[in-house]
Structures are given as structure tokens and as C-alpha cells.
């Protein structure tokens, strides 16, 4: 039971982790784990099989080379052996070797007669072999096809023949012939056809080494081979050997690198044939099997990748489209999806959203909008009542009185007081003229300048201000006394308890599709927590929140701006203690 719980908790943990991964990444992970990785494993196995098949083919080729070399050598040695056998059993040859010769002239006469009457010279001269018979007859004169046995008794090949048990041997040596030395491979046989084991005579036939080597090289084998007698290399196609070059020795490393080793018995001697293993060139294997490799890559990588990409787009594009619709749910209406594609679960979800949006819009129309209309009627009624109250009070007597005070101050040359009274009258006129709640920006700026000038009478040189308004922004409308409220807050709360000079900056400009208003002061600033809280209160201001808050003026202005822009205004606020505060208001240009 505990094991089942642990397994279930592990699954839940993985599910929670997967829930935090985007759908596109999940599909990519699925492709890597379930498609690409198995395909790579499969392709690796196939590649190993291809390499092994290539190795097997190479091994078969090396075996064929060894067999071909063996056959060529056996054929050359066999041809010489057949000719040697014919000479061995030739009756005329044996009789001539046993003849008695009275003198050198007698030997010469009989030698000419032998050559004339027998076919020996024809058979020997027509071959590529050099043949000499060493006879145990003192009447033989050294020269031509015959020599006395004493000429051979100290030679290594004759000693080997005497030491051996067989009648025929093959002997390889590097000997001096005339002014040069060369490689020689000879077949040697006892000439005892008529007197078995009682005859010391021998025949020595030198094979055509050059012809044998050229035959092996012209075969153009694809791999290097060595034919060795013990450690001596008799034949090779590595380009290092030659008829006039002494026999080289094969190294232990070369023997280890041989992929194929075959031995052939040649008249009691063992010749070893080594075929070297070629270096496995992966690039060459790849080029040789390129059509297969290209087909595997196309089928196992490109096609699954393309399919997964299409599936990914089929999923993510529609889900993103659905997500964008939910993100753009603003105002009092849900926007339906323009086009629903497909017939899978996602398209069903999109159709369900469209049905929900239609139903919600009907409910909004019947409940929210009707209630909003009712509230608008109430507000209009309250404004009408307020205007009625304002109409009952005639403020002209107040302005006449202020004008009398201003003129009296001018006559007494109290110009500073007269200026203050004039600005006060301007501000009071703005307050009492409630016929229209919207003013142009340039009108609001005049009111701000009047207010700041009055504040300079209070703060003196401690207050300085700078106002910059882009000329194209002057004719935009905004609710009356909203911008000056933020200026008042910057002037009063920012400069209180600060003895040094402070600045108030007002900047109005257009940015993209918004009207941006910045109110900045270099006053005392406020803590970040308080700044963040005030920014949130402006962003989510309500009438009940105004009643409970100390920043009534700012929140009142924020609420009026939100009502005027249908909740599309944005507020940003930044402050630092001892440095000052910046309030940025973003209004849509349609306002």
C-alpha cells in the first residue's frame, strides 16, 4: 500500500512539474524522448550493422587476396616443378651424365650430340627458368647446362638438400651474379631417378623472381600483403621490395596488424601469407553507403521533425489565439473568435468559448449595461440638482468685491497684494464655473501657473517651477482641476519641512497613442511602501475608498480621470526619500 502511495506521489510531482512547462516545450520534449532518441538508437544500430558488414566484406576480400596470392605462387612453382620432373626422368639426360669422357674434346663432342638428338635444350630454353645440372662425373666440364658436383657442394642450397629428408627443396637467397646481387628462388632436386639415394648429382632450377613479383603487383590487390619464409619477406606489394634489394624482415607489429594469415607448404618449407587490415575510413564507408544514410536521415529525422512541427503549430497557434482573447477581456464585452479551425478538442474548446462569450455579452447587456444606464440617469439627475443649486448663488458680487480690493491696492501702490488678489479671483472663477467639467489643457495650465505663483508668496525663494507643454497637446481636453490637484500635492506635501530650494516640473507630451502628463517635485519624497500603496489606490480608486483616505484630492482627481476615460487611464508613481516624487499619467488620445 505504501509503495502505491509513493508511486502516486511521484506521478503527481512529475505532473506538477509538467504543468509549469509550456505546451510547445512539452511537445518538443515528447519529440526528443519518444521520437528522436529512439530513432538515434535505431540509426546507431543500423550504422553498426553497416560497419560490421563492411568489415565482413573487407575480411572476405582479404581472404580472397590471400587465396589469389597462394594460387599465383603455386602456379609459378608448379610450372617449374613440372619442368624439373621432366628433366629428372629424362633418359637422355641421365645417360649423358653417366657417360665416360676420354678427354675434354670427347665431352664437347658428346655434349653437342646430346643437344642435337634430345629435346632438352628446347624445353629448357623455352621456359623462364635458369636450369643447371650438377653431376658426379669428373669428365664433365663446367659450362652451359652442366657443371661438376664439386662446384655445388659448399653452396647453402646443396647443404640444405643433403640435410633434408625429401628429394626436392625450395630455397630463397640473395646471391651475387656477375657485378650485381639479386634475389633468387630455386627448386633443387636430386638426380637419382635410376639410382635412388646412391646418387649425389642434383639439378638446380632458378625461378623467374622478377616475373613472379610483377605478376603479384599487377594484380593490383586493394590491400597490402606479405609472403614470408620465417621472418624474411619473399614477396610484397608495399613498394619497398625489388629484385636487387636484400630480403627484409617482417616485424611483430606488422604480423599483429595482419587481418588474414594463411600458410602454404612448398616442398618442406612453409610460406606465410599475411594480408594487412586496412584502416577503417568512416568517411569512405559513409560515402559508399550515402544513399542508405540519406534515406535513413530523411525518414527518421526530417520527416518526424516536420510532422512534430506541424502538430506543434496545430496545437500552440490555436491555444495562443484563445489565450490572447482571454487576455484582452476588457471593458463590458467579450470578443468572440473570428474563425474556428479544425474538428479536434481544441476547436471544440474554441466553439465553447464563443458560445460562452455570446451568453456573457447577453448577460452584460441585460444586467450590467442596464444598471449602468440607471446610474448615469441618477448622476445626471444629481448634476441637474447641483447646477440648480449653483444657479441660486450669484457669485458676481464676490468677483466685484475682489476687483474693488485689487484696484484699491493698485491705487495705494501695493502691487504685490493686487497681483495676489487677481490670481485668487482667477482661481475662484474657475471653481464656480461648473457649466462644463472639461477644460483645454492650456486653460488648466493657466490655472496651475496662478496657483504656483500664489504658493511662491508662501514659500518664497524655496519654490521654483518649470512647465513644458508640447504645442500639439494644448487643445486636448481633460477634467477640470485634475492636473492642478497633483501639482498642489507636489507643492504642499513635497516642500513641507524642507528648508532647501525645491522644484516643481510639469511636462505634457504625446507618446505613441497616449497623452503623457508628468508631475515631478524635488521635495522630501516618501518611503517605497507608501509610494506603492498610493499608486495602487489611484489605480483601483473607488468612492468608498476616497471617504476613508487622507489623499482625498489626488484620489478624487484619479477617479474623475478614470470616469472620463472609461477606465483606460494608467498611473505610475516613483519616489525616493530626500530626492522627490514623480507621478506619470497616461491618457488615451481619444480622450
Amino acid at each position: 500500500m505504501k509503495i502505491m502511495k509513493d508511486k502516486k506521489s511521484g506521478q503527481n510531482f512529475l505532473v506538477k512539474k509538467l504543468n509549469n512547462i509550456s505546451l510547445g516545450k512539452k511537445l518538443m520534449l515528447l519529440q526528443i524522448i519518444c521520437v528522436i532518441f529512439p530513432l538515434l538508437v535505431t540509426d546507431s544500430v543500423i550504422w553498426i550493422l553497416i560497419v560490421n558488414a563492411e568489415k565482413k566484406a573487407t575480411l572476405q576480400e582479404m581472404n580472397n587476396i590471400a587465396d589469389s596470392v597462394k594460387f599465383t605462387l603455386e602456379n609459378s612453382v608448379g610450372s617449374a616443378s613440372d619442368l624439373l620432373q621432366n628433366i629428372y626422368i629424362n633418359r637422355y639426360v641421365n645417360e649423358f651424365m653417366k657417360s665416360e669422357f676420354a678427354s675434354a674434346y670427347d665431352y664437347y663432342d658428346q655434349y653437342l650430340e646430346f643437344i642435337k638428338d634430345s629435346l632438352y635444350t628446347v624445353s629448357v630454353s623455352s621456359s623462364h627458368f635458369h636450369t643447371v645440372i650438377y653431376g658426379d662425373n669428373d669428365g664433365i666440364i663446367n659450362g652451359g647446362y652442366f657443371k661438376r658436383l664439386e662446384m655445388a657442394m659448399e653452396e647453402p642450397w646443396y647443404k640444405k638438400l643433403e640435410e633434408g629428408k625429401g628429394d626436392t627443396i625450395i630455397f630463397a637467397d640473395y646471391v651475387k651474379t656477375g657485378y650485381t646481387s639479386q634475389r633468387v628462388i630455386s627448386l633443387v632436386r636430386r638426380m637419382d631417378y635410376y639410382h635412388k639415394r646412391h646418387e649425389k648429382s642434383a639439378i638446380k632450377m632458378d625461378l623467374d623472381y622478377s616475373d613472379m613479383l610483377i605478376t603479384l603487383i599487377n594484380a593490383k590487390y586493394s590491400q597490402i600483403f606479405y609472403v614470408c619464409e620465417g621472418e624474411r619477406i619473399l614477396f610484397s606489394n608495399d613498394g619497398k621490395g625489388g629484385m636487387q634489394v636484400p630480403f627484409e624482415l617482417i616485424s611483430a607489429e606488422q604480423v599483429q596488424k595482419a587481418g588474414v594469415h594463411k600458410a602454404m607448404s612448398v616442398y618442406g618449407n612453409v610460406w606465410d601469407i599475411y594480408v594487412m587490415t586496412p584502416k577503417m575510413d568512416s568517411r569512405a564507408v559513409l560515402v559508399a553507403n550515402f544513399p542508405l544514410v540519406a534515406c535513413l536521415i530523411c525518414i527518421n529525422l526530417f520527416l518526424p521533425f516536420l510532422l512534430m512541427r506541424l502538430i506543434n503549430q496545430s496545437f500552440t497557434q490555436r491555444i495562443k489565439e484563445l489565450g490572447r482573447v482571454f487576455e484582452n477581456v476588457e471593458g463590458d464585452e467579450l470578443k468572440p473568435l473570428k474563425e474556428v479551425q479544425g474538428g479536434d478538442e481544441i476547436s471544440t474548446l474554441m466553439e465553447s468559448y464563443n458560445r460562452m462569450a455570446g451568453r456573457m455579452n447577453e448577460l452584460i447587456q441585460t444586467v450590467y449595461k442596464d444598471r449602468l444606464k440607471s446610474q448615469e440617469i441618477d448622476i445626471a439627475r444629481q448634476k441637474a440638482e447641483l447646477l440648480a443649486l449653483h444657479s441660486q448663488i450669484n457669485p458676481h458680487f464676490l468677483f466685484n468685491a475682489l476687483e474693488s480690493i485689487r484696484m484699491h491696492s493698485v491705487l495705494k501702490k501695493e502691487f504685490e497684494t493686487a497681483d495676489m488678489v487677481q490670481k485668487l479671483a482667477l482661481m475662484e472663477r474657475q471653481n464656480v464655473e461648473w457649466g462644463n467639467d472639461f477644460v483645454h489643457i492650456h486653460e488648466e495650465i493657466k490655472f496651475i501657473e496662478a496657483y504656483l505663483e500664489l504658493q511662491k508668496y508662501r514659500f518664497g525663494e524655496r519654490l521654483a517651477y518649470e512647465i513644458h507643454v508640447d504645442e500639439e497637446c494644448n487643445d486636448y481636453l481633460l477634467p477640470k482641476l485634475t492636473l492642478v490637484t497633483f501639482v498642489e500635492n507636489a507643492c504642499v506635501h513635497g516642500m513641507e519641512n524642507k528648508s532647501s530650494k525645491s522644484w516643481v516640473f510639469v511636462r505634457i507630451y504625446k507618446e505613441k497613442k497616449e497623452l503623457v502628463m508628468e508631475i515631478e517635485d524635488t521635495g522630501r519624497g516618501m518611503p517605497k511602501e507608501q509610494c506603492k500603496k498610493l499608486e495602487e489606490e489611484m489605480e483601483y480608486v473607488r468612492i468608498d475608498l476616497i471617504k476613508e483616505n487622507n489623499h482625498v484630492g489626488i484620489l478624487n482627481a484619479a477617479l474623475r480621470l478614470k470616469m472620463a476615460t472609461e477606465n483606460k487611464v494608467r498611473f505610475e508613481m516613483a519616489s525616493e526619500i530626500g530626492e522627490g516624487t514623480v507621478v506619470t499619467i497616461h491618457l488615451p488620445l481619444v480622450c
Side-chain angles (χ1 to χ4, degrees):
M1 192 72 179
K2 184 178 179 182
I3 294 174
M4 292 294 291
K5 287 182 179 179
D6 291 342
K7 185 176 180 181
K8 189 173 182 180
S9 62
Q11 290 177 346
N12 291 335
F13 174 77
L14 291 176
V15 170
K16 289 179 180 178
K17 288 290 186 184
L18 289 173
N19 289 340
N20 295 325
I21 302 175
S22 66
L23 184 60
K25 291 183 179 178
K26 287 178 186 176
L27 290 174
M28 182 61 68
L29 189 65
L30 178 66
Q31 181 184 7
I32 292 173
I33 295 176
C34 299
V35 179
I36 294 179
F37 180 73
L39 288 176
L40 287 176
V41 173
T42 304
D43 290 348
S44 299
V45 172
I46 294 174
W47 179 251
I48 291 172
L49 293 176
I50 291 174
V51 172
N52 288 337
E54 190 70 23
K55 289 181 179 179
K56 188 175 180 180
T58 303
L59 181 62
Q60 181 62 42
E61 185 179 5
M62 289 191 293
N63 275 301
N64 293 338
I65 291 172
D67 291 337
S68 176
V69 170
K70 182 179 179 182
F71 175 79
T72 301
L73 294 177
E74 286 178 344
N75 187 53
S76 297
V77 174
S79 299
S81 178
D82 291 342
L83 180 59
L84 188 68
Q85 179 69 14
N86 290 334
I87 297 173
Y88 171 71
I89 64 175
N90 192 298
R91 180 170 61 86
Y92 295 103
V93 174
N94 283 277
E95 288 178 353
F96 177 76
M97 290 177 61
K98 293 300 180 183
S99 300
E100 293 184 2
F101 306 107
S103 64
Y105 292 106
D106 185 32
Y107 169 78
Y108 184 69
D109 289 338
Q110 292 190 42
Y111 177 75
L112 293 176
E113 190 68 26
F114 165 75
I115 291 174
K116 179 180 178 182
D117 294 339
S118 70
L119 298 176
Y120 177 77
T121 56
V122 176
S123 59
V124 170
S125 61
S126 62
S127 68
H128 297 286
F129 313 120
H130 178 258
T131 305
V132 178
I133 299 175
Y134 295 87
D136 187 14
N137 187 339
D138 293 337
I140 295 175
I141 299 175
N142 295 326
Y145 299 111
F146 297 93
K147 292 183 181 180
R148 286 204 297 268
L149 184 62
E150 62 189 37
M151 297 290 295
M153 297 190 69
E154 297 300 323
E155 295 292 331
W157 56 267
Y158 187 81
K159 291 180 179 180
K160 183 176 180 181
L161 178 66
E162 288 295 308
E163 293 171 359
K165 296 180 179 179
D167 294 329
T168 307
I169 64 168
I170 192 165
F171 188 80
D173 199 4
Y174 183 71
V175 298
K176 188 173 183 180
T177 56
Y179 297 102
T180 61
S181 298
Q182 62 182 17
R183 297 181 181 185
V184 176
I185 295 179
S186 305
L187 274 177
V188 182
R189 182 180 181 119
R190 300 179 189 275
M191 287 294 292
D192 58 353
Y193 182 72
Y194 293 101
H195 304 87
K196 289 290 185 181
R197 288 292 178 181
H198 297 290
E199 185 65 56
K200 296 291 184 178
S201 300
I203 180 172
K204 179 174 176 286
M205 181 178 291
D206 296 336
L207 281 67
D208 192 338
Y209 179 88
S210 178
D211 183 66
M212 295 173 68
L213 181 61
I214 290 173
T215 301
L216 291 173
I217 291 176
N218 287 342
K220 298 187 183 301
Y221 297 120
S222 58
Q223 314 302 339
I224 299 295
F225 70 85
Y226 297 99
V227 179
C228 302
E229 184 182 58
E231 294 183 349
R232 286 194 306 173
I233 300 175
L234 302 181
F235 299 97
S236 173
N237 63 342
D238 61 358
K240 296 179 180 179
M243 192 167 182
Q244 278 75 38
V245 181
F247 290 112
E248 295 181 354
L249 302 180
I250 192 169
S251 65
E253 183 180 359
Q254 287 175 308
V255 173
Q256 290 178 354
K257 288 183 178 180
V260 170
H261 169 221
K262 290 190 176 183
M264 59 181 293
S265 179
V266 187
Y267 293 106
N269 283 15
V270 176
W271 286 2
D272 295 297
I273 302 173
Y274 298 103
V275 181
M276 299 296 105
T277 303
K279 292 183 179 179
M280 181 59 69
D281 189 352
S282 300
R283 184 177 179 182
V285 175
L286 183 64
V287 171
N289 298 276
F290 180 75
L292 177 60
V293 174
C295 183
L296 288 175
I297 291 174
C298 181
I299 294 174
N300 294 339
L301 289 180
F302 290 157
L303 290 182
F305 176 79
L306 180 61
L307 180 61
M308 288 300 295
R309 186 175 180 84
L310 293 175
I311 294 174
N312 192 348
Q313 290 178 353
S314 173
F315 273 93
T316 56
Q317 283 184 354
R318 292 183 293 163
I319 289 178
K320 285 180 180 179
E321 184 179 355
L322 192 59
R324 282 193 296 269
V325 174
F326 279 109
E327 289 175 358
N328 294 329
V329 174
E330 294 180 0
D332 54 2
E333 186 179 1
L334 295 177
K335 295 182 179 179
L337 293 166
K338 295 181 179 179
E339 185 180 0
V340 177
Q341 299 179 352
D344 56 2
E345 290 81 358
I346 297 177
S347 61
T348 303
L349 181 62
M350 297 172 78
E351 291 173 354
S352 299
Y353 167 79
N354 279 347
R355 288 194 296 270
M356 181 195 72
R359 183 59 180 162
M360 290 293 293
N361 289 335
E362 291 177 3
L363 293 174
I364 291 171
Q365 180 68 32
T366 56
V367 178
Y368 173 72
K369 285 189 175 181
D370 291 347
R371 183 176 297 175
L372 187 61
K373 286 181 180 179
S374 177
Q375 290 178 354
E376 288 176 351
I377 293 171
D378 290 341
I379 292 172
R381 180 180 53 79
Q382 292 173 8
K383 283 184 177 181
E385 292 175 356
L386 183 61
L387 288 174
L389 289 173
H390 278 296
S391 64
Q392 294 175 8
I393 302 173
N394 189 352
H396 293 295
F397 77 92
L398 176 61
F399 300 136
N400 291 335
L402 288 174
E403 180 64 20
S404 297
I405 295 171
R406 188 184 72 83
M407 291 300 297
H408 184 70
S409 298
V410 171
L411 291 173
K412 292 183 115 180
K413 296 185 179 181
E414 294 176 353
F415 299 111
E416 186 176 1
T417 303
D419 188 52
M420 291 176 64
V421 171
Q422 183 182 17
K423 289 179 171 56
L424 178 61
L426 175 64
M427 294 179 65
E428 286 301 321
R429 187 178 297 276
Q430 188 81 350
N431 281 326
V432 299
E433 289 180 355
W434 284 93
N436 189 358
D437 193 34
F438 287 87
V439 295
H440 291 97
I441 287 178
H442 65 85
E443 295 174 337
E444 184 81 355
I445 291 299
K446 288 180 181 179
F447 187 70
I448 291 171
E449 289 174 342
Y451 173 77
L452 289 173
E453 286 296 325
L454 283 174
Q455 289 297 325
K456 287 192 72 173
Y457 289 115
R458 174 185 176 186
F459 294 105
E461 296 299 325
R462 289 166 51 202
L463 173 63
Y465 67 88
E466 183 180 302
I467 300 174
H468 176 77
V469 182
D470 285 355
E471 194 166 337
E472 57 184 347
C473 300
N474 280 322
D475 293 328
Y476 282 97
L477 295 174
L478 73 158
K480 183 191 298 182
L481 302 178
T482 50
L483 187 57
V484 72
T485 304
F486 290 96
V487 175
E488 177 194 9
N489 187 74
C491 184
V492 176
H493 295 288
M495 294 184 59
E496 283 184 351
N497 302 324
K498 186 170 182 180
S499 59
S500 59
K501 186 175 182 178
S502 297
W503 280 82
V504 174
F505 300 96
V506 178
R507 292 180 286 269
I508 302 176
Y509 55 91
K510 287 202 302 185
E511 186 178 76
K512 295 182 180 178
K513 295 183 179 181
E514 289 184 330
L515 179 69
V516 182
M517 301 188 296
E518 293 180 357
I519 303 93
E520 179 182 0
D521 67 78
T522 60
R524 61 179 181 175
M526 65 180 73
K528 290 184 178 179
E529 295 79 8
Q530 183 182 354
C531 177
K532 185 68 175 177
K533 182 181 179 184
L534 184 55
E535 181 183 2
E536 291 177 356
E537 288 175 351
M538 288 190 294
E539 192 69 30
Y540 304 103
V541 64
R542 302 187 308 275
I543 294 177
D544 57 343
L545 184 63
I546 294 176
K547 296 177 181 179
E548 302 170 358
N549 204 291
N550 295 327
H551 301 279
V552 176
I554 289 181
L555 296 182
N556 187 298
L559 180 60
R560 292 172 63 210
L561 286 168
K562 290 177 76 69
M563 293 175 65
T565 61
E566 297 181 355
N567 249 6
K568 293 180 181 178
V569 66
R570 293 187 297 112
F571 300 97
E572 295 177 2
M573 192 169 181
S575 185
E576 186 174 348
I577 296 177
E579 297 294 331
T581 305
V582 180
V583 177
T584 306
I585 305 169
H586 298 266
L587 294 168
L589 286 178
V590 293
C591 165

